Amino acid sequence: MRAVIFDIDGTLLDSVDLHARAWVEAFAHFGVTTDFADVRRQIGKGGDELMPVFLSEERVARDGETIEAYRSDLFKRRYLSEVRPFPGVRPLFEHIRAAGLTIALASSGKRSEVEHYTEILEIGDLVDVATSSDDADRSKPHPDIFEAALEKLDGAPRDAIIVIGDTPYDAEAAAKAGLRTVGLLCGGFPEADLRSAGCVAIYRDPEDLLDRFAQSPLADS
């Protein structure tokens, strides 16, 4: 193993429900009624992939940027202060670095959000590479964000890199980039969905992965 690429929302941060609420409220503000559970199942995608699930192509073309900007501002104003790290994130990162591995972040969120999340998680000194939706034309489940991370990892072989994520979209995007994914259940997706998407191992949350690190794919030398 050479490197580990982490998703953030739902993987390192307990934020999935909050993002779903922001989307539901944003859609409602523009006259679109959505079901919370339906929206929640789409969290993990960027707005470019999420909005077409609920809006017509014409509506996305006309109002998509406005809706996304409204949602982003709403999330920052109403929900960002409620975001909390899952247990064990910093100790897991410290253990990974002690094992000699490089750490990258690859989120469908915007760069400003990734930077703020890094502060919340208190991992800035442990992260070598960070990519966001600003580095990609398309968000997950397209591979663009992981491809951007790979470019910053200076040619580390893809079979020596593991992605850690909480959604099927992470695993699908990683597979398209030639990467394996370890799934975490803390984002709320069923284990069956993560395995169907190609996850090679499943753990409860970052703390569980840390506790079982020695038997995990990350310890493969």
Side-chain angles (χ1 to χ4, degrees), residues 2-214:
R2 293 272 298 279
V4 186
I5 304 176
F6 282 91
D7 170 60
I8 300 177
D9 285 300
T11 299
L12 304 177
L13 289 173
D14 189 0
S15 57
V16 175
D17 284 353
L18 302 175
H19 278 293
R21 290 178 198 166
W23 273 113
V24 169
E25 291 182 32
F27 282 135
H29 181 79
F30 291 91
V32 179
T33 301
T34 54
D35 179 76
F36 174 83
D38 291 339
V39 173
R40 195 189 193 287
R41 282 191 288 269
Q42 301 301 319
I43 301 300
K45 299 177 178 179
D48 60 318
E49 293 294 319
L50 185 150
M51 283 189 287
V53 176
F54 303 99
L55 305 175
S56 67
E57 184 178 346
E58 178 184 7
R59 186 75 189 273
V60 172
R62 186 179 73 239
D63 299 327
E65 290 185 5
T66 302
I67 294 172
E68 164 62 13
Y70 181 89
R71 180 219 60 87
S72 178
D73 180 68
L74 174 67
F75 183 81
K76 290 173 184 175
R77 287 188 290 105
R78 187 169 298 174
Y79 295 112
L80 185 57
S81 62
E82 298 181 33
V83 173
R84 297 289 183 272
F86 286 119
V89 173
R90 183 172 176 87
L92 173 61
F93 276 43
E94 290 174 338
H95 194 87
I96 291 171
R97 287 295 295 270
L101 305 180
T102 298
I103 296 177
L105 302 178
S107 169
S108 291
K110 298 183 182 301
R111 181 176 294 116
S112 60
E113 293 174 354
V114 171
E115 291 172 351
H116 186 75
Y117 289 160
T118 302
E119 294 178 7
I120 292 174
L121 291 160
E122 299 181 346
I123 54 172
D125 58 318
L126 301 172
V127 174
D128 300 288
V129 169
T131 60
S132 67
S133 61
D134 298 272
D135 301 299
D137 293 329
R138 303 169 299 174
S139 67
K140 304 166 188 173
H142 296 288
D144 302 31
I145 291 170
F146 290 127
E147 293 288 358
L150 287 168
E151 288 184 14
K152 295 183 178 183
L153 287 172
D154 297 327
R158 298 183 188 220
D159 61 358
I161 300 171
I162 286 284
V163 169
I164 311 292
D166 70 298
T167 76
Y169 316 121
D170 294 314
E172 292 168 16
K176 292 171 185 174
L179 301 171
R180 295 173 293 158
T181 301
V182 166
L184 300 185
L185 297 171
C186 45
F189 278 85
E191 180 173 348
D193 290 1
L194 297 179
R195 292 199 181 278
S196 295
C199 288
V200 298
I202 307 287
Y203 298 89
R204 185 182 64 251
D205 56 21
E207 190 169 59
D208 185 35
L209 176 56
L210 174 60
D211 290 343
R212 297 195 281 161
F213 189 93

